[in-house]
Amino acid sequence: MDSEKVKFYERKYERNPVEDAIKDISNKWTLHILRNLFLGKTHFNEFKENRKTLDNKSLSRCLKTMEKNKLIYKHSRDDEITYHLTEKGHSLNKVFYELLLFALNNDKNNEHYTETAKKELKEMYLEILDLK
């Protein structure tokens, strides 16, 4: 693309929609909570399972931000609070899967995952993200 065209697009679209989208999921715990929601977890304490460094204050702040960004909604019934994906939150399923593929494809020396584990993860994520 020539430099004049680039300058035109930069002026016309000062806001970067990709940057705006990333801001919605950039909190340290957001992807962890999203994964849990896709797995069917809905309760505050379930989001803390296996995350020793996730304290109540941080989790509460993250959930409020996710609500504000319209990724989740909070449901209260009979003194029980649950969290659920909104349509916007659920639409991140394809993005989530692409991030998984990016991570696995860039694990070139199998530093973190064996080929078998990569295959299992891809299959699992297809299922939990409802992409099959």
Side-chain angles (χ1 to χ4, degrees), residues 89-120:
H90 192 271
S91 73
L92 284 166
N93 63 343
K94 293 175 187 158
V95 174
F96 213 89
Y97 188 71
E98 289 298 324
L99 285 171
L100 170 75
L101 294 179
F102 175 81
L104 297 179
N105 291 338
N106 287 287
D107 185 31
K108 295 294 183 203
N109 298 324
N110 295 325
E111 294 173 29
H112 300 98
Y113 304 101
T114 65
E115 289 302 317
T116 301
K118 289 179 183 182
K119 184 178 183 232
E120 287 174 353

Side-chain angles (χ1 to χ4, degrees), residues 38 90-98 100-101 122-132:
F38 279 114
H90 192 271
S91 73
L92 284 166
N93 63 343
K94 293 175 187 158
V95 174
F96 213 89
Y97 188 71
E98 289 298 324
L100 170 75
L101 294 179
K122 289 176 189 177
E123 290 172 4
M124 180 185 79
Y125 271 74
L126 280 172
E127 185 176 335
I128 67 169
L129 298 172
D130 198 25
L131 291 170
K132 280 192 165 187

